[in-house]
């Protein structure tokens, strides 16, 4: 194991506070949020269980970067929105597309800096 890797090898968390692994050396039951999502899972109630640390050589921002890991055994299926939640979401979206001036559904989300539809904004500018 290289010195860099040994620096980040701390499965007991003695040095880093939580179990810490070098890149690609975490046990298979520990997954990042993205990896959980790819399996249709979410962390559930659990907090961060472990971390991967690696030295970033990205130019301009060298330093140690971290990815947080969750235990797949405590993960829960991703919530699928209920019809009521979908309806509420649709309503919120519709509200953001409805111009308060002409009261038309603009067909797009109103630009926040205008707060009205582009047609009305153009009319006011003219
Ligand atoms: Zn309008």
């Amino acid at each position: 194991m290289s010195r860099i890797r040994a620096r980040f090898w701390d499965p007991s968390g003695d040095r880093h506070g939580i179990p810490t692994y070098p890149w690609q050396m975490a046990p298979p039951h520990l997954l990042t949020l993205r990896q959980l999502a790819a399996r249709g899972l979410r962390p559930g109630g659990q907090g961060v269980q472990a971390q991967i640390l690696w030295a970033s050589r990205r130019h301009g921002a060298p330093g140690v970067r971290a990815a947080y890991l969750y235990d797949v055994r405590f993960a829960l299926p991703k919530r699928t929105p209920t019809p009521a939640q979908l309806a509420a979401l649709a309503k919120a979206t519709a509200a953001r597309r409805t111009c308060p001036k002409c009261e038309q559904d603009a067909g797009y989300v109103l630009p926040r800096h205008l707060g009205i539809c582009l047609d009305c904004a153009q009319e006011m500018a003219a």
Side-chain angles (χ1 to χ4, degrees):
M1 199 184 294
S2 74
R3 258 179 46 220
I4 294 283
R5 294 205 145 208
R7 188 177 144 210
F8 296 144
W9 178 256
D10 182 22
S12 62
D14 286 344
R15 279 176 293 134
H16 295 280
I18 56 174
T20 299
Y21 304 91
W23 189 243
Q24 288 185 331
M25 293 189 68
H29 67 276
L30 294 174
L31 300 177
T32 63
L33 277 181
R34 192 171 292 210
Q35 289 169 327
L36 281 180
R39 300 184 189 193
L41 298 170
R42 61 192 168 92
Q46 69 178 304
V48 170
Q49 302 292 326
Q51 65 185 347
I52 292 171
L53 291 183
W54 70 98
S56 168
R57 282 177 206 85
R58 193 188 293 189
H59 63 133
V64 174
R65 318 226 329 152
Y68 298 110
L69 302 175
Y70 300 86
D71 193 323
V72 72
R73 294 169 300 186
F74 304 140
L76 298 172
K78 221 191 271 183
R79 279 196 203 96
T80 40
T82 64
Q85 286 174 321
L86 286 175
L89 201 66
K91 206 174 147 194
T93 308
R96 287 194 300 148
R97 293 168 17 150
T98 303
C99 174
K101 193 155 182 290
C102 62
E103 297 181 344
Q104 302 288 310
D105 183 337
Y108 48 81
V109 172
L110 301 175
R112 201 178 298 175
H113 68 281
L114 294 175
I116 54 178
C117 74
L118 295 177
D119 290 341
C120 287
Q122 202 160 36
E123 233 170 77
M124 283 177 67

Short mmCIF file of all heavy atoms in Angstrom, two decimals, residues 40-93:
data_model
loop_
_atom_site.label_atom_id
_atom_site.label_comp_id
_atom_site.label_asym_id
_atom_site.label_seq_id
_atom_site.Cartn_x
_atom_site.Cartn_y
_atom_site.Cartn_z
N GLY A 40 -32.02 2.50 -6.61
CA GLY A 40 -33.37 2.82 -6.17
C GLY A 40 -33.49 2.90 -4.66
O GLY A 40 -34.53 2.62 -4.09
N LEU A 41 -32.40 3.30 -4.01
CA LEU A 41 -32.39 3.36 -2.54
C LEU A 41 -32.09 4.77 -2.06
O LEU A 41 -31.54 5.60 -2.80
CB LEU A 41 -31.32 2.41 -1.99
CG LEU A 41 -31.52 0.92 -2.29
CD1 LEU A 41 -30.29 0.13 -1.89
CD2 LEU A 41 -32.76 0.39 -1.57
N ARG A 42 -32.46 5.03 -0.80
CA ARG A 42 -32.09 6.27 -0.13
C ARG A 42 -31.51 5.89 1.22
O ARG A 42 -31.73 4.78 1.70
CB ARG A 42 -33.32 7.18 0.02
CG ARG A 42 -34.42 6.56 0.84
CD ARG A 42 -35.73 7.33 0.73
NE ARG A 42 -36.83 6.56 1.29
CZ ARG A 42 -37.22 6.64 2.56
NH1 ARG A 42 -36.63 7.46 3.40
NH2 ARG A 42 -38.22 5.90 2.99
N PRO A 43 -30.75 6.80 1.86
CA PRO A 43 -30.08 6.42 3.11
C PRO A 43 -31.06 6.01 4.21
O PRO A 43 -30.70 5.23 5.07
CB PRO A 43 -29.32 7.68 3.52
CG PRO A 43 -29.21 8.49 2.27
CD PRO A 43 -30.40 8.15 1.44
N GLY A 44 -32.28 6.52 4.20
CA GLY A 44 -33.19 6.27 5.31
C GLY A 44 -32.78 7.14 6.47
O GLY A 44 -32.30 8.25 6.27
N GLY A 45 -32.92 6.64 7.68
CA GLY A 45 -32.62 7.47 8.84
C GLY A 45 -31.14 7.56 9.18
O GLY A 45 -30.75 8.39 9.99
N GLN A 46 -30.33 6.75 8.55
CA GLN A 46 -28.93 6.69 8.97
C GLN A 46 -28.15 7.94 8.56
O GLN A 46 -28.46 8.59 7.57
CB GLN A 46 -28.26 5.47 8.34
CG GLN A 46 -28.08 5.60 6.83
CD GLN A 46 -27.36 4.41 6.22
OE1 GLN A 46 -26.26 4.06 6.62
NE2 GLN A 46 -28.03 3.77 5.26
N GLY A 47 -27.17 8.28 9.36
CA GLY A 47 -26.25 9.34 8.99
C GLY A 47 -25.11 8.77 8.18
O GLY A 47 -25.12 7.60 7.81
N VAL A 48 -24.12 9.61 7.93
CA VAL A 48 -22.94 9.16 7.20
C VAL A 48 -22.25 8.07 8.02
O VAL A 48 -22.02 8.23 9.22
CB VAL A 48 -21.99 10.35 6.96
CG1 VAL A 48 -20.65 9.88 6.42
CG2 VAL A 48 -22.64 11.34 5.99
N GLN A 49 -21.93 6.96 7.40
CA GLN A 49 -21.31 5.83 8.10
C GLN A 49 -19.80 5.81 7.93
O GLN A 49 -19.09 5.29 8.78
CB GLN A 49 -21.89 4.51 7.57
CG GLN A 49 -23.38 4.39 7.71
CD GLN A 49 -23.82 4.28 9.17
OE1 GLN A 49 -23.12 3.69 9.99
NE2 GLN A 49 -24.95 4.86 9.51
N ALA A 50 -19.33 6.33 6.83
CA ALA A 50 -17.90 6.24 6.52
C ALA A 50 -17.60 7.24 5.41
O ALA A 50 -18.51 7.89 4.89
CB ALA A 50 -17.54 4.83 6.09
N GLN A 51 -16.32 7.36 5.10
CA GLN A 51 -15.96 8.27 4.03
C GLN A 51 -14.81 7.72 3.21
O GLN A 51 -14.04 6.89 3.69
CB GLN A 51 -15.59 9.65 4.59
CG GLN A 51 -14.34 9.62 5.46
CD GLN A 51 -14.05 10.96 6.11
OE1 GLN A 51 -14.62 11.97 5.74
NE2 GLN A 51 -13.14 10.95 7.09
N ILE A 52 -14.77 8.17 1.98
CA ILE A 52 -13.61 7.90 1.13
C ILE A 52 -12.84 9.21 1.06
O ILE A 52 -13.43 10.27 0.83
CB ILE A 52 -14.05 7.48 -0.28
CG1 ILE A 52 -14.72 6.11 -0.24
CG2 ILE A 52 -12.85 7.46 -1.23
CD1 ILE A 52 -15.36 5.73 -1.57
N LEU A 53 -11.56 9.15 1.29
CA LEU A 53 -10.72 10.34 1.14
C LEU A 53 -9.73 10.10 0.02
O LEU A 53 -9.21 9.00 -0.15
CB LEU A 53 -9.96 10.64 2.43
CG LEU A 53 -10.78 11.12 3.64
CD1 LEU A 53 -9.84 11.44 4.81
CD2 LEU A 53 -11.64 12.31 3.31
N TRP A 54 -9.52 11.13 -0.77
CA TRP A 54 -8.46 11.02 -1.78
C TRP A 54 -7.85 12.39 -2.00
O TRP A 54 -8.48 13.41 -1.76
CB TRP A 54 -8.98 10.42 -3.08
CG TRP A 54 -9.90 11.29 -3.88
CD1 TRP A 54 -9.56 12.07 -4.94
CD2 TRP A 54 -11.31 11.47 -3.70
NE1 TRP A 54 -10.68 12.71 -5.43
CE2 TRP A 54 -11.76 12.37 -4.69
CE3 TRP A 54 -12.25 10.96 -2.78
CZ2 TRP A 54 -13.08 12.78 -4.79
CZ3 TRP A 54 -13.57 11.36 -2.88
CH2 TRP A 54 -13.98 12.25 -3.87
N ALA A 55 -6.62 12.36 -2.45
CA ALA A 55 -5.91 13.61 -2.74
C ALA A 55 -6.27 14.03 -4.14
O ALA A 55 -6.06 13.30 -5.10
CB ALA A 55 -4.41 13.40 -2.60
N SER A 56 -6.86 15.20 -4.25
CA SER A 56 -7.23 15.72 -5.56
C SER A 56 -6.05 16.44 -6.17
O SER A 56 -5.40 17.24 -5.51
CB SER A 56 -8.42 16.66 -5.43
OG SER A 56 -8.58 17.37 -6.64
N ARG A 57 -5.80 16.14 -7.42
CA ARG A 57 -4.72 16.86 -8.11
C ARG A 57 -5.31 17.80 -9.15
O ARG A 57 -4.62 18.28 -10.02
CB ARG A 57 -3.77 15.86 -8.76
CG ARG A 57 -2.84 15.25 -7.74
CD ARG A 57 -1.94 14.21 -8.38
NE ARG A 57 -1.52 13.23 -7.38
CZ ARG A 57 -2.23 12.17 -7.05
NH1 ARG A 57 -3.35 11.91 -7.66
NH2 ARG A 57 -1.80 11.35 -6.12
N ARG A 58 -6.60 18.03 -9.03
CA ARG A 58 -7.23 18.96 -9.97
C ARG A 58 -6.52 20.30 -9.86
O ARG A 58 -6.39 20.86 -8.78
CB ARG A 58 -8.70 19.14 -9.62
CG ARG A 58 -9.46 19.83 -10.73
CD ARG A 58 -10.85 20.15 -10.29
NE ARG A 58 -11.64 18.93 -10.09
CZ ARG A 58 -12.94 18.94 -9.87
NH1 ARG A 58 -13.59 20.07 -9.80
NH2 ARG A 58 -13.60 17.83 -9.70
N HIS A 59 -6.06 20.80 -10.97
CA HIS A 59 -5.24 22.01 -10.92
C HIS A 59 -6.05 23.19 -10.39
O HIS A 59 -7.23 23.32 -10.66
CB HIS A 59 -4.60 22.34 -12.28
CG HIS A 59 -5.59 22.63 -13.36
ND1 HIS A 59 -5.47 23.70 -14.20
CD2 HIS A 59 -6.72 22.00 -13.73
CE1 HIS A 59 -6.50 23.70 -15.03
NE2 HIS A 59 -7.26 22.67 -14.78
N GLY A 60 -5.42 23.99 -9.62
CA GLY A 60 -6.12 25.13 -9.02
C GLY A 60 -6.66 24.81 -7.64
O GLY A 60 -6.72 25.67 -6.79
N ALA A 61 -7.06 23.55 -7.41
CA ALA A 61 -7.65 23.22 -6.12
C ALA A 61 -7.09 21.92 -5.59
O ALA A 61 -7.81 20.94 -5.44
CB ALA A 61 -9.16 23.15 -6.24
N PRO A 62 -5.80 21.87 -5.33
CA PRO A 62 -5.26 20.64 -4.76
C PRO A 62 -5.71 20.49 -3.32
O PRO A 62 -5.95 21.49 -2.64
CB PRO A 62 -3.75 20.86 -4.84
CG PRO A 62 -3.56 22.33 -4.82
CD PRO A 62 -4.81 22.95 -5.40
N GLY A 63 -5.86 19.29 -2.88
CA GLY A 63 -6.27 19.08 -1.50
C GLY A 63 -6.95 17.75 -1.35
O GLY A 63 -7.05 16.99 -2.30
N VAL A 64 -7.42 17.50 -0.16
CA VAL A 64 -8.07 16.23 0.13
C VAL A 64 -9.57 16.38 -0.11
O VAL A 64 -10.19 17.32 0.35
CB VAL A 64 -7.80 15.81 1.59
CG1 VAL A 64 -8.59 14.56 1.94
CG2 VAL A 64 -6.31 15.57 1.80
N ARG A 65 -10.12 15.46 -0.87
CA ARG A 65 -11.54 15.48 -1.13
C ARG A 65 -12.20 14.28 -0.45
O ARG A 65 -11.54 13.27 -0.20
CB ARG A 65 -11.81 15.44 -2.63
CG ARG A 65 -10.86 16.33 -3.39
CD ARG A 65 -11.48 17.20 -4.42
NE ARG A 65 -12.66 16.65 -5.05
CZ ARG A 65 -13.62 17.42 -5.54
NH1 ARG A 65 -13.51 18.73 -5.43
NH2 ARG A 65 -14.66 16.90 -6.13
N ALA A 66 -13.48 14.43 -0.14
CA ALA A 66 -14.19 13.38 0.58
C ALA A 66 -15.47 13.00 -0.13
O ALA A 66 -16.11 13.84 -0.75
CB ALA A 66 -14.51 13.85 2.00
N ALA A 67 -15.80 11.72 -0.08
CA ALA A 67 -17.11 11.25 -0.51
C ALA A 67 -17.71 10.49 0.66
O ALA A 67 -17.02 9.69 1.30
CB ALA A 67 -16.98 10.34 -1.73
N TYR A 68 -18.96 10.78 0.98
CA TYR A 68 -19.57 10.18 2.16
C TYR A 68 -20.33 8.92 1.80
O TYR A 68 -20.95 8.83 0.75
CB TYR A 68 -20.46 11.20 2.86
CG TYR A 68 -19.63 12.38 3.32
CD1 TYR A 68 -19.75 13.62 2.72
CD2 TYR A 68 -18.68 12.20 4.32
CE1 TYR A 68 -18.95 14.68 3.12
CE2 TYR A 68 -17.87 13.26 4.72
CZ TYR A 68 -18.01 14.48 4.12
OH TYR A 68 -17.21 15.52 4.50
N LEU A 69 -20.25 7.95 2.69
CA LEU A 69 -20.78 6.62 2.40
C LEU A 69 -21.89 6.24 3.38
O LEU A 69 -21.84 6.60 4.56
CB LEU A 69 -19.65 5.59 2.51
CG LEU A 69 -18.46 5.81 1.58
CD1 LEU A 69 -17.37 4.79 1.89
CD2 LEU A 69 -18.88 5.72 0.12
N TYR A 70 -22.85 5.51 2.87
CA TYR A 70 -23.97 5.02 3.66
C TYR A 70 -24.01 3.51 3.56
O TYR A 70 -23.60 2.93 2.56
CB TYR A 70 -25.28 5.63 3.15
CG TYR A 70 -25.27 7.14 3.23
CD1 TYR A 70 -24.73 7.90 2.21
CD2 TYR A 70 -25.76 7.79 4.36
CE1 TYR A 70 -24.68 9.28 2.30
CE2 TYR A 70 -25.73 9.16 4.46
CZ TYR A 70 -25.18 9.90 3.43
OH TYR A 70 -25.14 11.26 3.52
N ASP A 71 -24.53 2.88 4.62
CA ASP A 71 -24.58 1.43 4.68
C ASP A 71 -25.81 0.94 3.94
O ASP A 71 -26.94 1.27 4.32
CB ASP A 71 -24.60 0.97 6.14
CG ASP A 71 -24.32 -0.52 6.27
OD1 ASP A 71 -24.78 -1.29 5.40
OD2 ASP A 71 -23.63 -0.90 7.23
N VAL A 72 -25.59 0.15 2.91
CA VAL A 72 -26.70 -0.32 2.08
C VAL A 72 -27.67 -1.16 2.90
O VAL A 72 -28.85 -1.27 2.58
CB VAL A 72 -26.17 -1.09 0.84
CG1 VAL A 72 -25.62 -2.45 1.24
CG2 VAL A 72 -27.24 -1.22 -0.22
N ARG A 73 -27.20 -1.74 4.00
CA ARG A 73 -28.07 -2.59 4.82
C ARG A 73 -29.11 -1.78 5.59
O ARG A 73 -30.12 -2.31 6.02
CB ARG A 73 -27.22 -3.42 5.79
CG ARG A 73 -26.34 -4.44 5.06
CD ARG A 73 -25.32 -5.05 5.98
NE ARG A 73 -24.43 -4.03 6.55
CZ ARG A 73 -23.38 -4.31 7.30
NH1 ARG A 73 -23.10 -5.56 7.59
NH2 ARG A 73 -22.62 -3.35 7.77
N PHE A 74 -28.83 -0.49 5.80
CA PHE A 74 -29.81 0.37 6.48
C PHE A 74 -30.62 1.20 5.50
O PHE A 74 -31.49 1.97 5.90
CB PHE A 74 -29.11 1.34 7.45
CG PHE A 74 -28.25 0.64 8.47
CD1 PHE A 74 -27.02 1.17 8.84
CD2 PHE A 74 -28.68 -0.53 9.08
CE1 PHE A 74 -26.22 0.53 9.79
CE2 PHE A 74 -27.89 -1.18 10.03
CZ PHE A 74 -26.66 -0.64 10.39
N ALA A 75 -30.30 1.07 4.23
CA ALA A 75 -30.96 1.90 3.22
C ALA A 75 -32.41 1.45 3.02
O ALA A 75 -32.77 0.31 3.29
CB ALA A 75 -30.20 1.83 1.90
N LEU A 76 -33.23 2.38 2.55
CA LEU A 76 -34.64 2.10 2.32
C LEU A 76 -34.96 2.38 0.85
O LEU A 76 -34.26 3.14 0.20
CB LEU A 76 -35.51 3.01 3.20
CG LEU A 76 -35.32 2.83 4.71
CD1 LEU A 76 -36.08 3.90 5.46
CD2 LEU A 76 -35.78 1.44 5.13
N PRO A 77 -36.05 1.74 0.36
CA PRO A 77 -36.44 2.03 -1.02
C PRO A 77 -36.74 3.51 -1.19
O PRO A 77 -37.26 4.15 -0.28
CB PRO A 77 -37.70 1.19 -1.23
CG PRO A 77 -37.75 0.23 -0.09
CD PRO A 77 -36.94 0.80 1.03
N LYS A 78 -36.39 4.02 -2.33
CA LYS A 78 -36.68 5.42 -2.64
C LYS A 78 -38.18 5.63 -2.63
O LYS A 78 -38.92 4.81 -3.13
CB LYS A 78 -36.13 5.75 -4.03
CG LYS A 78 -35.45 7.11 -4.09
CD LYS A 78 -35.16 7.49 -5.51
CE LYS A 78 -33.81 6.99 -5.96
NZ LYS A 78 -33.48 7.41 -7.32
N ARG A 79 -38.61 6.75 -2.04
CA ARG A 79 -40.05 7.04 -2.03
C ARG A 79 -40.53 7.40 -3.43
O ARG A 79 -39.94 8.24 -4.08
CB ARG A 79 -40.34 8.23 -1.13
CG ARG A 79 -40.41 7.89 0.33
CD ARG A 79 -41.08 9.01 1.09
NE ARG A 79 -40.68 8.96 2.49
CZ ARG A 79 -39.69 9.68 2.99
NH1 ARG A 79 -39.02 10.50 2.23
NH2 ARG A 79 -39.39 9.59 4.27
N THR A 80 -41.59 6.75 -3.87
CA THR A 80 -42.21 7.22 -5.10
C THR A 80 -43.32 8.16 -4.68
O THR A 80 -44.08 7.86 -3.76
CB THR A 80 -42.76 6.06 -5.94
OG1 THR A 80 -43.36 5.12 -5.06
CG2 THR A 80 -41.66 5.38 -6.72
N PRO A 81 -43.43 9.33 -5.33
CA PRO A 81 -44.42 10.31 -4.92
C PRO A 81 -45.84 9.76 -5.04
O PRO A 81 -46.15 9.04 -5.98
CB PRO A 81 -44.20 11.48 -5.87
CG PRO A 81 -43.25 11.00 -6.91
CD PRO A 81 -42.62 9.75 -6.45
N THR A 82 -46.69 10.08 -4.08
CA THR A 82 -48.09 9.69 -4.13
C THR A 82 -48.81 10.58 -5.14
O THR A 82 -48.31 11.65 -5.48
CB THR A 82 -48.75 9.86 -2.75
OG1 THR A 82 -48.74 11.25 -2.44
CG2 THR A 82 -47.99 9.11 -1.68
N PRO A 83 -49.98 10.15 -5.61
CA PRO A 83 -50.76 11.01 -6.54
C PRO A 83 -50.99 12.40 -5.96
O PRO A 83 -50.92 13.40 -6.68
CB PRO A 83 -52.07 10.24 -6.71
CG PRO A 83 -51.72 8.82 -6.45
CD PRO A 83 -50.61 8.84 -5.42
N ALA A 84 -51.23 12.47 -4.64
CA ALA A 84 -51.47 13.78 -4.02
C ALA A 84 -50.21 14.65 -4.10
O ALA A 84 -50.29 15.85 -4.39
CB ALA A 84 -51.90 13.60 -2.56
N GLN A 85 -49.04 14.04 -3.90
CA GLN A 85 -47.79 14.81 -3.99
C GLN A 85 -47.53 15.26 -5.41
O GLN A 85 -47.09 16.38 -5.65
CB GLN A 85 -46.62 13.93 -3.51
CG GLN A 85 -46.59 13.75 -1.99
CD GLN A 85 -45.52 12.77 -1.55
OE1 GLN A 85 -45.29 11.76 -2.20
NE2 GLN A 85 -44.87 13.07 -0.45
N LEU A 86 -47.84 14.38 -6.37
CA LEU A 86 -47.67 14.75 -7.77
C LEU A 86 -48.60 15.92 -8.13
O LEU A 86 -48.20 16.83 -8.85
CB LEU A 86 -47.95 13.55 -8.68
CG LEU A 86 -46.86 12.48 -8.70
CD1 LEU A 86 -47.30 11.30 -9.53
CD2 LEU A 86 -45.55 13.05 -9.22
N ALA A 87 -49.83 15.86 -7.63
CA ALA A 87 -50.80 16.92 -7.91
C ALA A 87 -50.32 18.24 -7.33
O ALA A 87 -50.40 19.29 -7.98
CB ALA A 87 -52.17 16.55 -7.34
N ALA A 88 -49.79 18.18 -6.11
CA ALA A 88 -49.29 19.40 -5.47
C ALA A 88 -48.12 19.97 -6.27
O ALA A 88 -48.01 21.19 -6.45
CB ALA A 88 -48.86 19.10 -4.03
N LEU A 89 -47.28 19.09 -6.75
CA LEU A 89 -46.13 19.50 -7.55
C LEU A 89 -46.59 20.16 -8.85
O LEU A 89 -46.08 21.22 -9.24
CB LEU A 89 -45.27 18.27 -7.85
CG LEU A 89 -43.82 18.52 -8.23
CD1 LEU A 89 -43.06 19.11 -7.04
CD2 LEU A 89 -43.16 17.22 -8.68
N ALA A 90 -47.57 19.55 -9.51
CA ALA A 90 -48.11 20.09 -10.76
C ALA A 90 -48.70 21.48 -10.52
O ALA A 90 -48.54 22.39 -11.34
CB ALA A 90 -49.15 19.14 -11.34
N LYS A 91 -49.38 21.63 -9.39
CA LYS A 91 -50.00 22.91 -9.06
C LYS A 91 -48.93 23.98 -8.85
O LYS A 91 -49.06 25.11 -9.33
CB LYS A 91 -50.85 22.73 -7.79
CG LYS A 91 -51.99 23.71 -7.67
CD LYS A 91 -52.84 23.34 -6.45
CE LYS A 91 -53.42 24.61 -5.85
NZ LYS A 91 -53.95 24.38 -4.51
N ALA A 92 -47.88 23.61 -8.14
CA ALA A 92 -46.79 24.56 -7.89
C ALA A 92 -46.12 24.98 -9.20
O ALA A 92 -45.81 26.15 -9.41
CB ALA A 92 -45.77 23.94 -6.94
N THR A 93 -45.95 24.00 -10.08
CA THR A 93 -45.33 24.31 -11.37
C THR A 93 -46.22 25.22 -12.19
O THR A 93 -45.76 26.19 -12.80
CB THR A 93 -45.06 23.01 -12.16
OG1 THR A 93 -44.34 22.12 -11.31
CG2 THR A 93 -44.25 23.28 -13.40
#
